[in-house]
Amino acid sequence: GGLVDGGVDLLMIETIFDTQNAKAAIFAVDEYFERTKKERLPVMLSATIVDNSGRTLSGQTIEAFYISVKHAKAFTVGINCALGAAQMKKFYKMLCDMNTGWCHVYPNAGLPNAMGGYDEDPDIFSNNLYDYAKDGLLNFVGGCCG
């Protein structure tokens, strides 16, 4: 309730690597608004694909993730973290093709290197995201780690 009482405009459930956790969070959001009789705020849901297999840490594909959460009627559904924009695009496009609503993406600046840093500079990162824009895939966009 503190976020709502503080005046946030929307709620974001993000970096979801296990859909069961997301469902618990969605339930808590819905229960809060039902109990308080306050108008439900928009909710953004954001999965994390952990590698080029296209799966979350708990093993779900992006298709399975979307099917598992579409009942939540989220403001946007998207992907964040873990991969860079170049690696993430094919999974994001799958999500865009399934979702009739808005999608979002905020990738890392590439994959983490051996030192835990990120090697993509702003030019590389922006060029990778420009590729999404050229294909008409962007509703909301940002950056995560790096």
Side-chain angles (χ1 to χ4, degrees), residues 2 6 15 39 43 51 62 64 68 74 90 100 103-104 108 110 114 118 123 126 128 131 140:
T15 317
E39 183 177 347
V43 174
D51 60 29
I62 196 64
S68 296
K90 65 183 171 185
T100 58
C103 291
H104 68 265
N108 287 347
Y118 297 86
D123 286 335
S126 63
N128 285 335
D131 192 45
F140 295 86

Side-chain angles (χ1 to χ4, degrees), residues 13 16 18-26 30 40 43-47 60-78 95 99:
I13 303 168
I16 301 166
D18 184 339
T19 308
Q20 291 296 334
N21 291 339
K23 286 183 166 195
I26 292 163
D30 289 342
R40 186 180 189 265
V43 174
M44 297 175 75
L45 300 174
S46 197
Q60 278 192 311
T61 63
I62 196 64
E63 297 95 339
F65 168 78
Y66 177 71
I67 290 167
S68 296
V69 300
K70 70 180 180 178
H71 71 280
K73 297 180 176 56
F75 179 63
T76 67
V77 179
L95 179 61
N99 185 7

Side-chain angles (χ1 to χ4, degrees), residues 2 4 20 23 50 61 94 96 112:
V4 176
Q20 291 296 334
K23 286 183 166 195
V50 295
T61 63
M94 288 179 201
C96 291

Side-chain angles (χ1 to χ4, degrees), residues 46-133:
S46 197
T48 295
I49 302 298
V50 295
D51 60 29
N52 284 321
S53 72
R55 295 180 181 274
T56 65
L57 194 58
S58 61
Q60 278 192 311
T61 63
I62 196 64
E63 297 95 339
F65 168 78
Y66 177 71
I67 290 167
S68 296
V69 300
K70 70 180 180 178
H71 71 280
K73 297 180 176 56
F75 179 63
T76 67
V77 179
I79 306 175
N80 76 290
C81 201
L83 301 176
Q87 297 87 6
M88 193 179 283
K89 185 178 178 191
K90 65 183 171 185
F91 308 116
Y92 180 70
K93 175 145 182 8
M94 288 179 201
L95 179 61
C96 291
D97 289 345
M98 286 182 289
N99 185 7
T100 58
W102 288 346
C103 291
H104 68 265
V105 63
Y106 53 106
N108 287 347
L111 296 171
N113 62 32
M115 301 303 291
Y118 297 86
D119 297 326
E120 287 187 6
D121 63 22
D123 286 335
I124 295 170
F125 186 77
S126 63
N127 283 331
N128 285 335
L129 286 175
Y130 179 68
D131 192 45
Y132 286 62

